[in-house]
Every structure is written in structure tokens, then in C-alpha cells.
Amino acid sequence: MYENLSAYERALARFGDKVGLIAGLEIADKMSPEDAYQQIKELYRELKKLRKKERRIWGNVGIGTTKVL
């Protein structure tokens, strides 16, 4: 299922899975809202870093651009 995705797309899928898990833990009172927020914030920072790296590699073509090849 994930074999044809870019590194960013795979990371985005993992991000969604992890956020869902963290939200579930917070809802079940297994984690404080502040801890959940901090973990999601850190995951998002890592995702943004990967996105910037991938955009540099591909010369800003593709993700979030309107440039046509």
C-alpha cells in the first residue's frame, strides 16, 4: 500500500496514525492533554522538516506548488 509513496507521503501517513494513537490515549485518560499536545507538536515539527527537505530535493516541484512540468 505504501510502496509507491514518497518519503513525505509515508511520513504523513505515519503522522496520522501516531496522532490517532495519541488522541486515543488522551481521551482514555492515559495521557495528559498537555503531554498529548507536546508529542503531536514534536511529530509535526519532524514532518515539516522532512517536507522542506523533500521540496529542496525535487526543486519545489510537486508538493504544495502549482508549477507544471
Side-chain angles (χ1 to χ4, degrees):
M1 179 171 145
Y2 294 120
E3 59 273 355
N4 294 327
L5 300 178
S6 70
Y8 173 72
E9 292 167 329
R10 286 190 304 273
L12 185 58
R14 284 191 306 271
F15 173 78
D17 293 342
K18 289 179 180 182
V19 168
L21 177 64
I22 292 167
L25 289 170
E26 193 277 325
I27 289 169
D29 288 330
K30 304 290 182 186
M31 177 183 290
S32 74
E34 182 61 30
D35 287 343
Y37 172 77
Q38 291 301 326
Q39 285 191 24
I40 292 170
K41 187 175 169 182
E42 182 57 33
L43 289 171
Y44 185 66
R45 279 189 194 133
E46 292 170 13
L47 185 65
K48 280 177 53 176
K49 241 188 265 185
L50 181 60
R51 180 172 181 246
K52 285 181 182 180
K53 179 181 175 184
E54 190 165 289
R55 286 182 76 173
R56 277 193 302 270
I57 291 169
W58 290 101
N60 293 331
V61 175
I63 301 169
T65 65
T66 57
K67 189 174 180 180
V68 178
L69 296 175

